[in-house]
Amino acid sequence: MSKRLIRFDWAVKKLLRNKANFVVLEGFLSELLFEDIKIEKILESEGNQETEQDKYNRVDILVQNAKNELVIVEIQNTYEIDYFHRMAYGASKALTENLSLGQSYSEIKKVISVNIVYFDLGQGKDYVYKGTTNFQGLHEHDLLQLSNKQKETFTKQNISDIFPEYYIIKVNQFNDVAKDTLDEWVYFLKNSEVKDSFKAKGLAEAKEVLDVMRLNQEQTYGYNRYLDYLHVKASEALSLKIQQEELMEKKVAEAKEKVRKDEKIEIVKNAISEGFENQIIARLTGLTIDQIEDLRNERKKS
């Protein structure tokens, strides 16, 4: 039987920073990056220190893997129109914060930015996206490559291996049909549930580590507060969407009414030019005699 588990975002903030539980996060990253990931340590920066103002809305963790790469895992629950910009800033900040004074540029660490979002980010049909940096010739359309000496010196095969790498998982766009082990993780991210048939790395451990029944009283209270917050934010987002739709409907109705009014005024002006009497014009347009008379006076002044 499958069972409901603690949400991954809360677990990242409260449970998975414990070295004993690294196996869960390692499993997720291994399935996403298609390689065996081993987490060496959790790093601290301004980006992943909790503040009261940003206590629930976003969750991030910065880890260093066995290859000395930096992996940012960020989870965002509510809509941010400039989230792409924040991804770029976060990767750049992690890169510069981990280059010590006096080190050469060649010693910068590879940064992998993993972004789990619970809102519709950008436009696209897929639910998992990967972004890398390549340089293509404007004339020959070839990809710029590292020289043999650069490959030997930097132990990199491609230019894209130097620059930050980005992953985006649009959780709500997943259709709940798990076709592979990465899908099994996306299913868990969306539903906080692991089916008995799932084989993805780290999910078996997640079923144990993230069991709600394992939480102590203080953790249970904090987790329930977090769930309440997410419900409130979801309600606020829905209310804002409805308000925006109502405002748009009102604006459309006002625009249509203005068009109808302008059309009526044009009809009146033409009727006046043709010598129609006010009573006849009123029956044709629905305007009052006073309104028609005002238009007559405006026409005389002009």
Side-chain angles (χ1 to χ4, degrees):
M1 286 179 60
S2 60
K3 58 182 178 181
R4 302 286 291 182
L5 302 173
I6 297 166
R7 283 178 58 100
F8 188 68
D9 45 3
W10 191 85
V12 167
K13 185 181 284 287
K14 299 296 184 180
L15 301 178
L16 300 186
R17 296 172 188 267
N18 185 327
K19 190 174 181 64
N21 297 332
F22 280 2
V23 63
V24 177
L25 190 56
E26 287 172 344
F28 165 65
L29 293 175
S30 295
E31 297 292 357
L32 178 66
L33 305 179
F34 295 99
E35 60 178 296
D36 286 328
I37 298 296
K38 293 297 180 184
I39 297 174
E40 291 296 308
K41 57 184 175 180
I42 304 293
L43 304 176
E44 288 297 334
S45 68
E46 289 182 17
N48 64 356
Q49 291 180 15
E50 184 179 282
T51 64
E52 189 63 30
Q53 182 179 2
D54 203 15
K55 195 171 184 179
Y56 296 120
N57 189 42
R58 61 185 285 260
V59 178
D60 70 349
I61 187 169
L62 177 63
V63 304
Q64 181 176 309
N65 66 15
K67 292 162 53 176
N68 205 30
E69 297 171 331
L70 301 176
V71 184
I72 307 167
V73 179
E74 183 152 337
I75 307 168
Q76 177 70 24
N77 285 298
T78 58
Y79 175 75
E80 283 191 6
I81 193 170
D82 59 351
Y83 189 81
F84 286 121
H85 301 76
R86 198 170 92 184
M87 286 170 52
Y89 174 80
S92 301
K93 199 166 191 299
L95 191 152
T96 55
E97 280 183 346
N98 288 276
L99 183 68
S100 301
L101 186 65
Q103 285 185 303
S104 68
Y105 292 126
S106 64
E107 296 182 72
I108 63 171
K109 291 181 170 63
K110 169 77 173 185
V111 175
I112 301 172
S113 173
V114 178
N115 299 270
I116 303 169
V117 298
Y118 288 84
F119 62 92
D120 192 14
L121 177 62
Q123 290 185 337
K125 296 179 180 179
D126 212 321
Y127 51 93
V128 181
Y129 289 88
K130 177 182 179 180
T132 58
T133 299
N134 287 295
F135 297 86
Q136 185 173 31
L138 295 181
H139 301 95
E140 300 296 332
H141 306 293
D142 61 322
L143 289 180
L144 187 64
Q145 304 290 339
L146 294 176
S147 67
N148 290 332
K149 185 63 176 178
Q150 286 173 318
K151 291 179 181 180
E152 179 184 343
T153 302
F154 308 139
T155 63
K156 306 286 185 183
Q157 292 301 308
N158 303 292
I159 289 178
S160 60
D161 296 332
I162 298 173
F163 288 83
E165 190 171 293
Y166 298 91
Y167 291 83
I168 298 172
I169 300 177
K170 299 172 66 173
V171 177
N172 293 340
Q173 199 151 319
F174 179 59
N175 65 2
D176 286 342
V177 179
K179 297 179 180 179
D180 53 36
T181 49
L182 177 56
D183 280 357
E184 290 176 2
W185 260 102
V186 181
Y187 182 95
F188 166 65
L189 295 175
K190 183 178 179 181
N191 300 291
S192 299
E193 179 182 351
V194 175
K195 295 184 178 181
D196 289 342
S197 59
F198 286 178
K199 304 297 182 183
K201 296 175 182 178
L203 284 184
E205 291 80 4
K207 287 181 71 172
E208 299 301 321
V209 174
L210 307 184
D211 188 343
V212 174
M213 300 304 294
R214 289 169 58 106
L215 298 179
N216 60 37
Q217 185 175 357
E218 182 180 351
Q219 290 172 329
T220 300
Y221 173 76
Y223 183 55
N224 287 333
R225 280 193 63 197
Y226 181 66
L227 294 181
D228 289 342
Y229 168 84
L230 294 181
H231 291 315
V232 169
K233 296 304 290 184
S235 296
E236 288 177 353
L238 178 61
S239 298
L240 179 59
K241 181 181 178 182
I242 292 173
Q243 289 175 355
Q244 291 175 335
E245 288 175 350
E246 289 176 344
L247 180 61
M248 182 59 66
E249 290 175 359
K250 182 179 179 182
K251 289 183 177 180
V252 169
E254 290 174 348
K256 288 182 178 178
E257 180 60 30
K258 186 178 186 304
V259 169
R260 286 194 293 267
K261 185 177 179 180
D262 291 344
E263 289 174 346
K264 288 181 179 181
I265 290 174
E266 192 63 31
I267 292 172
V268 171
K269 289 180 178 179
N270 291 334
I272 291 173
S273 299
E274 294 294 328
F276 284 84
E277 296 181 355
N278 288 353
Q279 289 80 1
I280 295 175
I281 298 174
R283 287 200 300 270
L284 290 173
T285 62
L287 296 182
T288 66
I289 299 297
D290 289 340
Q291 290 174 320
I292 297 169
E293 196 59 39
D294 288 341
L295 290 172
R296 283 187 183 276
N297 293 333
E298 287 180 12
R299 184 169 180 273
K300 290 176 183 179
K301 292 177 181 179
S302 62

